[in-house]
Amino acid sequence: MIVRTRAWLVPVFFQLLLPAWVSAEEQHERPSCRVCGMYIDQYRKSAAELVFKDGQKQYTCGVACMLREINDAGGMSAFESVKVHDWVSGKLIDAEEATYVLGSRVIPDMVPNYIAFADRGEAEAFAAKEGGDVIDFTAAYADISPVGTTAPFRIRTAVTPGKGNFSVGMVYGYTQKDRIKIGSNSVEPGEFIGGNSAQPRAPKQFEGHQQAVIVNYSPTDNLALFANVPWFERRTRTLNQTAGGITETVGEENGIGDITLEGRYNFWRNTRWNKFVTVLLGTTLPTGQFSANRAPTLGRNLISTGPALQLGKDTATFTGGLLYSQRWKNFWLHTSALYTVNPENDEHYAFGDAATVGLALHYTPNYDLMLGIEMDASYTEKSEDQGFRIGNSDGTVTNLAFVGDWRFLNAFGGNFKLRGSVGLPIYEDLNHSDAVNPRGQPFQQVQLGDGFFANLAVQWTFRAAPEFH
């Protein structure tokens, strides 16, 4: 039975996870950043004040969000005044007259980390100690992007968002495969099995539903941690050929999958905060069920529950690789190169190791919206069962996806985003294996491919303000 995630659970889920000390009345009374939603009273050293021509007053947590607000409003002409806090004295000063340090080791609010100074000499002294470039308002405004960073769906960003950043989300994903792949050729399953009387069976369709809780946390400015706790609902349809004709059987498995844990360490970024190189290390915990019941089939011992229905790998896996991200004003580029090792489990079964590369290009027309296109390609080696290499278990897949996210609400000292993607494999070359039935007649063991995938997520992001003395 497939259990659907109820829409009303989403707000309840987030309400339970948000800090208990924040009451509804406090949410209404505490001024928050116009752009990201963070509470202004946590960012007194960096907060900015913007007064529109009609007298309406807005606040941002820092200079980066202030510049985004000015850009979104069409420039300084929309404001009566714009003021920032001097880092040294804490006094409000005119934003256009201030001097800024960009890209220092100090991150007081959002990224990129602009810090304002009333006196240029003090800005230069700060940069000499903490690093960064000393620039004026014009250079800062010309350099700012609508969004500090973007997050790809199928790969990871090299940008670490700063100490204290925390996000939690709920994800729903759907995958469907419905064509038999023989190399790069696609065949309709009914046509495939009907064209060979010796073919005992053939996969017809795979459907996968995934619901997951995801958590991101940055304990330092350079380190970001990630956890994914999935729940899988999987169904396969198989065509079986007997003397009586072709019949269909359905297999189902539901349950928790393997928990993913990842760490990203940003070991290099430039002072303009538009180029990043990061190492990723990850593992999975064997929390998902793996069925090792084997049934003799055509002279070999095979897993009775096929790999597509396994909820876990019954062993820890290990992933490592490099990430690179770069920004050009309103565009973000993300790339990745990763390798995953899948050791043999206690049941003497090993899923094939996988090498994956990814590429994403995102466009951010304003601070509430991102649109993008992503591509990933992977090569998976053959799986092994009791030392036997399974001939139809490896191959190459290249996927193309269209993605987007929409920041639709600022609340609880942070912001909510609705994220989505839809895509399909644009190239597949999946291996098949020749075999013979008990009568000595040849047939083929094959894999499913083609189809499509889609994801939808709701995510809340918050950053606890660091303490500066």
Side-chain angles (χ1 to χ4, degrees):
M1 176 180 175
I2 302 296
V3 180
R4 303 287 186 234
T5 300
R6 300 291 187 255
W8 59 266
L9 287 176
V10 174
V12 172
F13 168 80
F14 283 107
Q15 186 64 47
L16 290 173
L17 285 176
L18 295 176
W21 51 265
V22 181
S23 68
E25 183 178 356
E26 287 175 321
Q27 302 301 325
H28 179 73
E29 292 178 352
R30 294 179 74 183
S32 61
C33 178
R34 159 86 169 180
V35 177
C36 66
M38 298 193 300
Y39 291 130
I40 300 302
D41 58 18
Q42 294 181 306
Y43 296 88
R44 290 299 187 189
K45 285 182 69 70
S46 60
E49 176 188 281
L50 303 95
V51 182
F52 287 82
K53 292 290 188 181
D54 61 3
Q56 181 186 4
K57 187 178 292 186
Q58 297 287 355
Y59 299 94
T60 64
C61 63
V63 176
C65 285
M66 176 198 77
L67 294 171
R68 292 174 185 131
E69 173 69 1
I70 295 171
N71 185 70
D72 197 60
M76 289 293 290
S77 60
F79 300 92
E80 184 68 30
S81 68
V82 178
K83 295 183 179 182
V84 294
H85 281 88
D86 171 40
W87 183 257
V88 177
S89 68
K91 295 180 179 179
L92 281 172
I93 57 176
D94 185 273
E96 291 185 284
E97 300 297 325
T99 300
Y100 300 90
V101 175
L102 167 61
S104 71
R105 287 180 287 273
V106 178
I107 305 177
D109 46 89
M110 301 293 285
V111 296
N113 58 334
Y114 298 88
I115 299 176
F117 293 85
D119 181 84
R120 186 176 183 87
E122 291 177 338
E124 291 172 346
F126 179 88
K129 178 181 178 182
E130 301 291 351
D133 293 339
V134 179
I135 58 177
D136 61 13
F137 176 84
T138 301
Y141 184 60
D143 187 70
I144 193 63
S145 66
V147 177
T149 183
T150 59
F153 243 102
R154 297 177 64 84
I155 63 177
R156 307 292 284 162
T157 174
V159 184
T160 49
K163 182 179 179 180
N165 188 274
F166 172 81
S167 69
V168 60
M170 293 186 69
V171 181
Y172 171 75
Y174 177 78
T175 302
Q176 179 177 304
K177 299 179 181 181
D178 52 15
R179 301 274 291 185
I180 286 174
K181 302 293 293 189
I182 301 177
S184 59
N185 296 322
S186 295
V187 182
E188 196 277 327
E191 177 184 339
F192 172 78
I193 194 171
N196 182 5
S197 60
Q199 189 76 35
R201 69 188 59 82
K204 179 183 179 182
Q205 185 188 67
F206 167 78
E207 284 185 292
H209 300 262
Q210 177 180 334
Q211 297 153 76
V213 176
I214 57 173
V215 178
N216 290 273
Y217 176 65
S218 296
T220 72
D221 291 331
N222 296 326
L223 179 63
L225 305 177
F226 169 78
N228 179 309
V229 183
W231 176 273
F232 292 122
E233 299 156 359
R234 294 177 167 177
R235 177 188 291 124
T236 59
R237 299 180 185 276
T238 304
L239 298 176
N240 303 280
Q241 186 162 225
T242 64
I246 297 176
T247 60
E248 180 179 313
T249 57
V250 178
E252 290 185 309
E253 289 290 341
N254 303 331
I256 190 171
D258 288 347
I259 295 174
T260 299
L261 302 176
E262 287 179 359
R264 292 176 293 129
Y265 181 75
N266 175 227
F267 62 87
W268 179 85
R269 59 174 176 257
N270 65 348
T271 56
R272 293 284 171 160
W273 282 80
N274 56 15
K275 297 177 182 178
F276 303 80
V277 183
T278 295
V279 63
L280 179 148
L281 296 175
T283 186
T284 61
L285 306 180
T287 50
Q289 178 182 345
F290 179 86
S291 175
N293 296 323
R294 290 178 172 88
T297 303
L298 305 178
R300 289 189 179 130
N301 290 329
L302 299 178
I303 298 287
S304 60
T305 300
L309 289 179
Q310 301 292 352
L311 302 176
K313 297 181 178 179
D314 201 36
T315 183
T317 70
F318 306 94
T319 298
L322 291 175
L323 310 173
Y324 176 77
S325 294
Q326 182 170 346
R327 173 180 62 84
W328 298 276
K329 194 61 176 178
N330 293 12
F331 290 89
W332 273 97
L333 173 74
H334 303 282
T335 64
S336 67
L338 303 175
Y339 190 83
T340 299
V341 176
N342 295 308
E344 181 181 277
N345 61 28
D346 290 340
E347 303 296 338
H348 305 294
Y349 190 95
F351 289 84
D353 295 348
T356 304
V357 294
L359 177 69
L361 182 64
H362 294 167
Y363 171 60
T364 57
N366 57 60
Y367 54 69
D368 288 328
L369 185 65
M370 181 276 284
L371 302 170
I373 186 169
E374 300 181 4
M375 182 180 296
D376 62 87
S378 63
Y379 171 72
T380 304
E381 297 178 349
K382 286 181 171 62
S383 299
E384 293 188 9
D385 183 15
Q386 297 180 323
F388 171 73
R389 291 169 64 83
I390 302 173
N392 64 320
S393 60
D394 62 330
T396 301
V397 178
T398 301
N399 298 300
L400 180 69
F402 298 93
V403 303
D405 65 45
W406 171 45
R407 178 161 39 190
F408 64 92
L409 178 66
N410 288 345
F412 306 107
N415 62 82
F416 285 87
K417 281 186 177 181
L418 183 66
R419 310 188 66 222
S421 73
V422 61
L424 72 165
I426 57 173
Y427 176 78
E428 294 175 301
D429 186 357
L430 305 183
N431 283 343
H432 59 287
S433 177
D434 295 326
V436 294
N437 65 20
R439 299 188 300 275
Q441 297 172 308
F443 71 95
Q444 292 181 318
Q445 296 174 321
V446 294
Q447 302 181 63
L448 280 175
D450 286 356
F452 72 98
F453 55 86
N455 295 277
L456 186 65
V458 178
Q459 185 168 313
W460 177 73
T461 301
F462 166 82
R463 184 175 185 229
E467 294 182 4
F468 298 103
H469 304 286

